[in-house]
């Protein structure tokens, strides 16, 4: 009986030993797979982070342009949405005087930088067109060009050809005269506000196009 017991225990021991090896290997395989997954995730995160680094002065310029265009759009829209409707509720002579005061005070260096500084997008645009700098996706230069042109024609040109002349005309009118009141009600509160809204929309569109360009740079 001892012989049988001894002989039967040896296969059992060998069987246990046989099964212990795969268990260790599977654990090692699991650990290796988990480590690889973590490493892959870290690599992807690092790659995504690097994609958003500003790696050249042109990218920094484009980012500045996007911010300035968005700020300009906000300033413009607040006039059409809030300030002008509020002034229209006042007596015409009061509204005229307040608007003239705003138009005089608002022309300062900080406002000029915010309002027209977004046109610096022309710098990276020209650089990409002249191949001084290139990016994997050629659409970056087309979005940059579109952003610059939309802001120039849609904001800058509307400002100097439509809004500024009306501002100057408003300064010249007599707030107490019938002509001055008619100009305020029939022209300024209608045409100026309409053109102002248009340039605000173009400024906002320009900011979006600039952001698209930056994302591809």
């Amino acid at each position: 009986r001892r012989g049988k017991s001894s002989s039967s225990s040896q296969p059992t021991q060998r069987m246990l030993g046989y099964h212990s090896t795969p268990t260790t290997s599977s654990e090692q395989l699991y650990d290796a797979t988990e480590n690889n997954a973590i490493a892959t995730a870290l690599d992807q995160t690092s790659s995504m982070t690097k994609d958003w680094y500003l790696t050249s002065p042109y990218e920094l310029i484009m980012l500045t342009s996007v911010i300035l265009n968005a700020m300009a759009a906000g300033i413009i829209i607040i006039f059409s949405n809030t300030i002008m409707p509020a002034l229209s509720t006042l007596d015409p002579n009061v509204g005229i005087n307040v608007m003239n005061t705003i138009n005089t005070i608002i022309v300062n260096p900080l406002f000029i930088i915010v309002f027209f500084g977004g046109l610096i997008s022309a710098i990276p645009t020209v650089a990409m067109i002249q191949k001084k700098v290139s990016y994997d996706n050629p659409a970056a230069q087309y979005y940059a060009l579109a952003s610059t042109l939309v802001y120039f024609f849609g904001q800058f040109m509307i400002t100097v050809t439509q809004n500024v002349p009306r501002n100057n005309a408003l300064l010249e009118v007599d707030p107490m005269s019938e002509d001055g009141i008619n100009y305020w009600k029939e022209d300024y509160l209608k045409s100026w506000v309409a053109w102002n809204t248009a340039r605000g929309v173009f400024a906002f569109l320009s900011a979006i196009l600039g952001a698209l360009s930056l994302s591809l740079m």
Side-chain angles (χ1 to χ4, degrees):
R1 291 181 181 176
R2 285 183 185 174
K4 290 182 180 179
S5 175
S6 174
S7 62
S8 61
S9 64
Q10 290 178 356
T12 303
Q13 291 175 355
R14 286 196 297 271
M15 186 176 296
L16 290 173
Y18 173 77
H19 283 292
S20 64
T21 302
T23 302
T24 303
S25 299
S26 63
E27 290 177 352
Q28 292 175 345
L29 179 61
Y30 175 79
D31 290 341
T33 303
E34 186 177 17
N35 290 336
N36 289 335
I38 294 173
T40 301
L42 290 174
D43 289 341
Q44 291 176 347
T45 302
S46 176
S47 177
M48 291 173 62
T49 303
K50 290 180 180 178
D51 289 342
W52 286 100
Y53 284 163
L54 300 178
T55 58
S56 76
Y58 296 112
E59 294 176 30
L60 178 59
I61 293 173
M62 182 58 73
L63 174 61
T64 304
S65 173
V66 170
I67 294 173
L68 292 176
N69 289 349
M71 291 175 65
I75 294 172
I76 293 169
I77 294 301
I78 201 66
F79 269 86
S80 294
N81 182 68
T82 305
I83 296 176
M84 300 312 295
L87 293 182
S88 67
T89 64
L90 303 176
D91 291 337
N93 64 307
V94 177
I96 292 172
N97 286 326
V98 172
M99 191 63 195
N100 282 335
T101 301
I102 292 174
N103 287 334
T104 301
I105 294 176
I106 203 171
V107 181
N108 59 72
L110 179 59
F111 173 78
I112 297 300
I113 292 173
V114 172
F115 217 61
F116 300 119
L119 289 172
I120 60 173
S121 60
I123 297 174
T125 299
V126 172
M128 285 186 281
I129 292 176
Q130 294 180 347
K131 306 301 181 183
K132 292 182 180 179
V133 61
S134 61
Y135 298 95
D136 294 336
N137 195 326
Q141 72 178 30
Y142 301 125
Y143 282 126
L145 178 61
S147 176
T148 304
L149 293 178
V150 167
Y151 200 82
F152 179 77
F153 289 105
Q155 204 276 58
F156 179 80
M157 291 303 296
I158 286 179
T159 297
V160 299
T161 63
Q162 302 298 326
N163 294 95
V164 170
R166 287 176 168 81
N167 289 342
N168 294 335
L170 190 67
L171 283 170
E172 299 296 328
V173 303
D174 180 0
M176 302 300 295
S177 68
E178 185 177 349
D179 289 340
I181 293 173
N182 286 335
Y183 178 76
W184 171 251
K185 289 183 175 180
E186 301 302 326
D187 192 316
Y188 203 88
L189 289 177
K190 294 179 180 179
S191 298
W192 188 94
V193 172
W195 284 111
N196 185 70
T197 302
R199 64 179 175 168
V201 171
F202 284 124
F204 182 68
L205 177 59
S206 180
I208 294 175
L209 292 169
L212 289 173
S213 174
L214 181 62
S215 69
L216 299 175
M217 294 174 73

